[in-house]
Amino acid sequence: MSDEKKPANFIRNIIEADLAADKNGGRVHTRFPPEPNGYLHIGHAKSICLNFGLAEDYNGLCNLRFDDTNPHKEDAEYVDAIKRDVRWLGYDWGDREFFASDYFERLYEYAVQLIKQGDAYVCDLSPEQVREYRGTLTEPGRNSPYRDRSVEENLDLFTRMRAGEFPDGAKVLRAKIDMASPNINLRDPAIYRIRHGVIHHQTGNEWCIYPMYDFTHCLSDSIEGITHSLCTLEFEDHRPLYDWYLDRLQVECHPQQIEFARLNLQYAITSKRKLTRLVEEGIVEGWDDPRMSTISGMRRRGYPAAAIRDFCDRIGVSKADNSVEMEILESCIRDHLNANALRAMAVLHPLKVVITNYPEDKTEELQAPNHPQREEMGTRTIPFTRELYIDRADFREEANKKFKRLVLGKEVRLRNAYVIRCDEVIKDENDEIIELRCTYDPETLGANPEGRKVKGVIHWVSAKYGLKAEIRLYDRLFTHPHPDSDKEVDDFMVHLNPDSLRTLTACFVESSLGNAKPGDVFQFEREGYFCADAELCREGRLVFNRTVTLRDTWAKIEQKG
Ligand code: ATP
Ligand code: MG
């Protein structure tokens, strides 16, 4: 167990009781079972942290298992992406990478066993008829006319289903349970269906019958020796079926299914299907677009994996459906970056400043701390020159005392450098300010001389050495806290935020950022946290994505609006 004791929750209580009773021989074995039909999102991160985290805490194991029973929607690209994301989150499944399709032969044998026991039959009803016979929540279903076929006939038909003798939809293998059960999942559910002509990413064209999820899932868990099978609440009504298969087949290992509430994150989408639409309709630049609530999107945005793990710990697990505020995630990101990100200076909206009393050919190599509290993070060199850039928003010709930046005729401190005074404003023919003429005070490097008060501090970049960069300001992708559960509209797309991306192409960043590696995150002082874009910086461009603002500005904006 890890040294730090994690807070109790109902799942940990179950596991601890099981350990105390020596159930499962004291083993804890979980699994994370994604379907490879899309990229993982923040909801999956919760499931990953839960499953791998419990295994870590109780000296157990966690498997990675691809639930690949739905071949026409799945793809090897997704398998690779899922592995990359789980590994990046900080978890290791060792050599326990499995596919439900690894078990197709054994699952087939289990199905044959059910037939032999009289617990399954081949049914010829069409899909529409099956629906009709199933009944409703208030009415019992009716038995299929094929329900009483003999074991021999069922075995023969099932063998021929596998051999490819019947077209799609002509027959299904069904469990013989109870058409009058109040739980519709128990009304003779399908076990195998026919699917011709699909090329499965693992098994190719070896099979033309595919097992259903409920049948596959419990048996895959059992085959792998899983002790605690954690899933989301929508599977609660499937638990009796999960248990029915395992009981009937008298398997050695009967895992316990435990359900917990899904993570819903405000202003975000946690559905692979809807995320797929955003990608396919070109609303975003891809699965890893920094605005996406995918793990790859969050990585590209600069969210640290440790901050996402912290977030998952912080929100905990429960049985009650809820929706988590985006501020909680963002505050975890800020906490981590505030403690760990290197500081740097970047000017997003450059305004030229000429220091008239500074020699034209002079460069001073000033030293600046990489982190204000952590000396061990060292210092960097920032060149000071006659021509600089400051941000347009940091200058006003006139302002009251509340404006603690540069004002015509007044002084301000340049961060990590000198105090300057603005003497003159140069404008173009449209009356737009294009340059400031300032003088610097050589006695003010690092600290104010005795008795001199200069309150404001602004950031800057040397015009001579600064590097041109593109900076992408991201905002929430949706303007509605629950974009996909708003009953008032038909389509979650109406809630897209038209201003979710603003690109600034003429920014200047300090020269040390020329060494930034793709994926590095910095605090641009007074501006926020920014991540060197993992794709675009590789092409030799300098592109930074805003990871998160310094403070929660969104709350303010909402109040104003
Ligand atoms: P989606 O609707 O996005 O496709 P899913 O549940 O179908 O989600 P799977 O690939 O089947 O996706 O999920 C793998 C695991 O992750 C499952 O155990 C599932 O319960 C869990 N999971 C999926 N979404 C969430 C979520 N929002 N919160 C917590 N766990 C989740
Ligand atoms: Mg699923």
Side-chain angles (χ1 to χ4, degrees):
M1 244 194 254
S2 70
D3 304 338
E4 210 176 309
K5 184 112 173 81
K6 299 234 178 91
N9 61 49
F10 77 100
I11 298 179
R12 300 178 81 90
N13 293 344
I14 293 173
I15 292 179
E16 286 175 21
D18 288 348
L19 288 173
D22 203 32
K23 195 174 162 188
N24 306 308
R27 289 186 311 117
V28 173
H29 201 152
T30 55
R31 84 287 170 270
F32 172 63
E35 185 182 345
N37 63 343
Y39 280 56
L40 299 181
H41 51 63
I42 183 76
H44 295 111
K46 171 172 174 172
S47 177
I48 294 167
C49 292
L50 182 62
N51 279 293
F52 280 93
L54 288 168
E56 265 175 17
D57 291 348
Y58 294 101
N59 264 321
L61 296 170
C62 181
N63 296 356
L64 175 63
R65 183 197 321 135
F66 294 97
D67 245 311
D68 55 351
T69 51
N70 216 351
H72 64 289
K73 285 198 296 185
E74 297 159 359
D75 201 311
E77 174 200 346
Y78 299 135
V79 170
D80 295 337
I82 288 171
K83 284 169 25 180
R84 190 166 359 143
D85 289 348
V86 175
R87 214 173 275 130
W88 176 76
L89 262 185
Y91 297 106
D92 183 9
W93 53 92
D95 57 359
R96 294 175 316 283
E97 173 182 323
F98 301 116
F99 290 83
S101 55
D102 295 340
Y103 312 133
F104 278 178
E105 194 61 49
R106 286 174 80 176
L107 293 171
Y108 180 82
E109 285 161 20
Y110 277 128
V112 167
Q113 189 185 329
L114 286 178
I115 295 173
K116 287 183 177 161
Q117 290 172 192
D119 285 326
Y121 62 98
V122 174
C123 180
D124 299 1
L125 291 180
S126 69
E128 297 74 45
Q129 288 171 316
V130 168
R131 221 169 296 132
E132 210 180 294
Y133 274 73
R134 192 181 292 133
T136 63
L137 285 171
T138 50
E139 279 168 52
R142 282 176 293 142
N143 283 352
S144 157
Y146 304 98
R147 201 173 196 260
D148 294 318
R149 275 177 163 155
S150 69
V151 169
E152 289 68 36
E153 189 183 1
N154 281 321
L155 282 176
D156 174 60
L157 290 172
F158 189 48
T159 311
R160 288 164 57 197
M161 274 170 68
R162 178 179 183 170
E165 285 190 28
F166 309 111
D168 286 12
K171 291 185 173 12
V172 284
L173 182 71
R174 298 175 70 177
K176 195 192 260 188
I177 309 180
D178 178 7
M179 288 306 292
S181 171
N183 183 339
I184 291 184
N185 294 303
L186 296 180
R187 294 185 187 170
D188 291 10
I191 304 179
Y192 267 90
R193 64 213 191 290
I194 302 172
R195 282 269 184 289
H196 284 286
V198 288
I199 304 295
H200 188 282
H201 55 98
Q202 298 297 317
T203 58
N205 60 3
E206 193 185 334
W207 292 87
C208 66
I209 55 172
Y210 286 93
M212 302 299 288
Y213 177 84
D214 283 319
F215 179 71
T216 309
H217 194 76
C218 60
L219 286 164
S220 304
D221 280 349
S222 169
I223 290 168
E224 292 176 16
I226 300 304
T227 56
H228 300 85
S229 177
L230 313 180
C231 63
T232 36
L233 282 179
E234 67 269 27
F235 290 101
E236 198 165 21
D237 289 346
H238 297 237
R239 181 164 15 103
L241 181 56
Y242 185 104
D243 289 331
W244 188 89
Y245 285 127
L246 298 181
D247 286 339
R248 287 293 155 143
L249 290 164
Q250 298 188 324
V251 291
E252 245 170 75
C253 169
H254 187 140
Q256 179 181 2
Q257 176 177 308
I258 305 169
E259 307 87 17
F260 63 94
R262 296 175 79 83
L263 163 64
N264 298 303
L265 181 63
Q266 290 187 359
Y267 298 98
I269 295 271
T270 48
S271 148
K272 275 183 269 174
R273 194 171 49 80
K274 289 179 183 154
L275 291 168
T276 306
R277 260 191 75 192
L278 293 172
V279 174
E280 283 179 352
E281 292 181 23
I283 307 292
V284 293
E285 288 172 16
W287 285 100
D288 67 349
D289 185 296
R291 290 165 292 181
M292 292 278 272
S293 46
T294 51
I295 295 181
S296 52
M298 295 189 288
R299 173 170 61 233
R300 189 159 173 194
R301 177 95 174 239
Y303 287 12
I308 297 175
R309 293 198 301 270
D310 257 12
F311 167 72
C312 292
D313 268 352
R314 222 197 269 188
I315 57 175
V317 282
S318 79
K319 280 262 187 200
D321 257 324
N322 64 351
S323 141
V324 173
E325 291 173 351
M326 185 66 112
E327 285 80 3
I328 300 183
L329 175 60
E330 289 179 348
S331 123
C332 290
I333 307 302
R334 278 190 199 100
D335 286 353
H336 270 260
L337 293 176
N338 182 38
N340 300 307
L342 296 172
R343 272 41 176 184
M345 293 197 286
V347 174
L348 275 54
H349 311 94
L351 173 61
K352 194 170 199 175
V353 169
V354 178
I355 314 283
T356 50
N357 61 341
Y358 199 87
E360 214 152 314
D361 50 0
K362 185 170 170 182
T363 298
E364 261 176 290
E365 300 207 322
L366 305 179
Q367 293 300 305
N370 284 329
H371 193 286
Q373 281 92 38
R374 296 179 58 184
E375 228 174 282
E376 78 277 11
M377 287 173 76
T379 59
R380 65 192 191 281
T381 300
I382 41 177
F384 190 84
T385 52
R386 178 181 160 94
E387 297 198 349
L388 314 169
Y389 292 114
I390 65 166
D391 199 282
R392 282 190 172 272
D394 285 336
F395 175 76
R396 280 192 203 160
E397 286 182 85
E398 285 171 55
N400 63 21
K401 285 213 170 68
K402 279 196 199 140
F403 186 76
K404 295 206 170 43
R405 312 180 209 177
L406 187 60
V407 179
L408 180 60
K410 305 253 168 62
E411 290 188 321
V412 79
R413 169 169 291 285
L414 295 177
R415 177 93 175 133
N416 300 309
Y418 299 98
V419 169
I420 59 168
R421 191 184 62 226
C422 180
D423 307 314
E424 192 188 346
V425 177
I426 314 272
K427 297 182 179 174
D428 67 8
E429 65 277 12
N430 301 319
D431 215 29
E432 184 154 345
I433 301 173
I434 50 169
E435 189 180 306
L436 304 178
R437 298 270 160 146
C438 300
T439 41
Y440 88 115
D441 180 343
E443 303 303 316
T444 55
L445 183 61
N448 290 342
E450 281 274 313
R452 180 99 165 266
K453 274 196 206 142
V454 182
K455 285 225 188 76
V457 181
I458 63 173
H459 59 281
W460 57 279
V461 165
S462 156
K464 186 167 176 193
Y465 295 97
L467 303 171
K468 208 159 179 205
E470 176 177 322
I471 292 184
R472 299 180 165 201
L473 302 177
Y474 294 102
D475 210 330
R476 293 172 185 177
L477 193 49
F478 295 95
T479 51
H480 192 286
H482 311 287
D484 56 350
S485 57
D486 177 9
K487 301 276 184 305
E488 309 272 300
V489 302
D490 296 334
D491 191 357
F492 69 98
M493 294 285 205
V494 304
H495 292 305
L496 279 168
N497 175 6
D499 300 317
S500 61
L501 169 58
R502 213 150 45 92
T503 303
L504 307 176
T505 51
C507 310
F508 283 92
V509 300
E510 65 171 71
S511 51
S512 73
L513 289 172
N515 300 323
K517 288 193 294 298
D520 283 353
V521 187
F522 301 87
Q523 185 194 93
F524 289 170
E525 295 191 79
R526 302 181 62 236
E527 291 289 0
Y529 296 95
F530 292 81
C531 175
D533 190 87
E535 300 303 321
L536 303 172
C537 283
R538 259 189 211 111
E539 297 170 6
R541 288 160 70 186
L542 210 43
V543 180
F544 291 91
N545 297 318
R546 182 166 71 193
T547 307
V548 67
T549 53
L550 285 177
R551 257 164 266 104
D552 183 10
T553 50
W554 185 267
K556 262 188 285 170
I557 292 167
E558 267 181 327
Q559 271 166 15
K560 258 197 264 164

